[in-house]
Amino acid sequence: MASDELSKVALQQGNQLPYLFSDVDVAAVHRSIAQHEHVMASLDLEMEKHMQIIRQLQHKKEQHLAQIRHCKGMITLAKQLPLEILAFIFEECVRDGWTKTPILVSSVCSSWRKAAFTPTVWAHVYVSLDSQDPRRRTQLWLERSQAAPLVIHLEIGTDTSRLISIMEMLIEDAGRWKEFTIKSTLLHPVDQILQTWSAPMLQLCSVNIAIDQELQPSDPQANENAGQLFAFRHAVLNAPNLRKIRFERNLLPTPDTLPPCITHLTLTLPSLRVHTQQSTLSLLRVLEGLTYLETLLIEVPIPSMDQQVFDLESVQEVEIILPNLTSLTMMGARRIFGLLPHMKLPALNEINLRSSLEAVHTEETNGWLIRFFETTSHSLVSLEIRDLPLEETTYSQITSHLPSLRCLRLHDCDISDEALLQMSGSEGRCPSLEYLDLRWCGRLSGQALVEVVRDRMSRYGDIKSILEVTVINCSFVKEEDILNMAEFTTCRLVHRGSQDFCYSWGCCENMRYRKRFRQRLPFHKDRQARLCLILG
């Protein structure tokens, strides 16, 4: 085939070469490639020069951006806050457990450093004997706190070799102690500490003691006095302003342990053994001598509820009077609520009864509560019943003795429509009730709730209107019921954040329900004003 015919065929098949390879001047092609490579090398050099200029410009830009950030930092709120407010924020961080806050914030900027050197920021002295060089840390905190009142937290593990030297350092500033917390694995180190408390502690107003293991493994619990802190009362003789005491230990204190002048007492009883027998009579004798007591908290933590047993056989005719007690909180199961009928509290205005639905309860609890409210409820303003399985009729009998009650909180209870409806009408029970908080109430219907709220709006005599209703995770209270109540009162669908009584339990957060209800709310604009959705 002729060469021109081959070229035509190649063009038809998409080949862009108008000629055969045999017609190419190879040397010329190589010269052309060399020329292009030379030009590309020149372009690379030129590009590199421009890249150097770009990098230089980028570096200058970064410098200016850094200056801009610095200038903006000078006008931020954190920079403009007065030193007193910054110091207060740092103190709050320390109270929340960030013990190294003074050291960390000191390296941020000059104004933070000035605020961090406020003596009160260093006044929270945290000492852990298991940490590295606790003596040096303690000395630094004491020096920088200057004359500020001290809040001391002393944590003791199994190594107590440095305990005495630390206490010798702390006792020199005993006049500045405001609050002293001792958390110890064993009992003996606590006795050692209390024996050093011989100096005047004029500012000390609060003492917290927590002991994990009461007795050494080799020591038998021979008698009821074993493991008692008899040095405590003598140790606090030099603290005339001590008013608040908290014990967290398996053993109850003896009657001669606590000073009679205290006004706030917390007893936490975590059981370390199966079915610990507590002497209820001893507890009543302890409380009997505390006539100035204003607040009392007796709690058995949830893991220990089924292990703590309160002996009620020896207290049938015992009765104590606490004339100044205004707040009582009891948490536990089994027979702990059997204490109530033996306590006469004429000034009580707040009571919180808490338990766990997983714990073992006794049928006698209903009778104990009814007997207690028959004699001690006339001045009661606030009542909380949490996870305590009571009979349906018990609620009806309790509410008949609450003429001054303003706030009622029921958590996971079986209150019925019938008991709730007894609060309506001209002779309705709880005539002073203004705040109703219902959570996980599985029997109560929204219709009954709406009827009570609407009826109390009629203002029968001294019957007060319900100012606010909280409804969280109540199965038979529907969205339409919430909207109907919103015509008469303020409705709350979520808890109050850190101020809520369920905050530490984490049981009443329902983001899905809140989100769904919020989406439906625009269709009911006429009722939004009375509907309170707390989103924080």
Side-chain angles (χ1 to χ4, degrees), residues 193-265:
I193 294 172
L194 295 176
Q195 291 171 8
T196 65
W197 288 16
S198 56
M201 300 170 287
L202 301 181
Q203 296 191 59
L204 185 63
C205 59
S206 177
V207 173
N208 308 308
I209 296 179
I211 302 173
D212 293 335
Q213 183 175 330
E214 299 292 345
L215 303 172
Q216 297 285 358
S218 59
D219 295 336
Q221 191 172 353
N223 55 68
E224 62 178 4
N225 293 326
Q228 292 296 339
L229 293 172
F230 293 108
F232 181 78
R233 188 164 186 172
H234 178 74
V236 299
L237 288 177
N238 295 317
N241 294 312
L242 179 63
R243 295 294 181 269
K244 185 176 182 180
I245 294 177
R246 182 179 186 273
F247 278 120
E248 182 177 346
R249 49 187 311 220
N250 189 49
L251 298 181
L252 290 168
T254 56
D256 57 350
T257 300
L258 303 176
C261 60
I262 62 172
T263 57
H264 306 278
L265 175 63

Side-chain angles (χ1 to χ4, degrees), residues 381-400:
V381 175
S382 176
L383 169 62
E384 173 193 330
I385 300 179
R386 179 187 184 89
D387 299 354
L388 189 59
L390 301 178
E391 295 178 359
E392 178 183 343
T393 56
T394 302
Y395 293 102
S396 298
Q397 297 187 57
I398 288 177
T399 55
S400 64

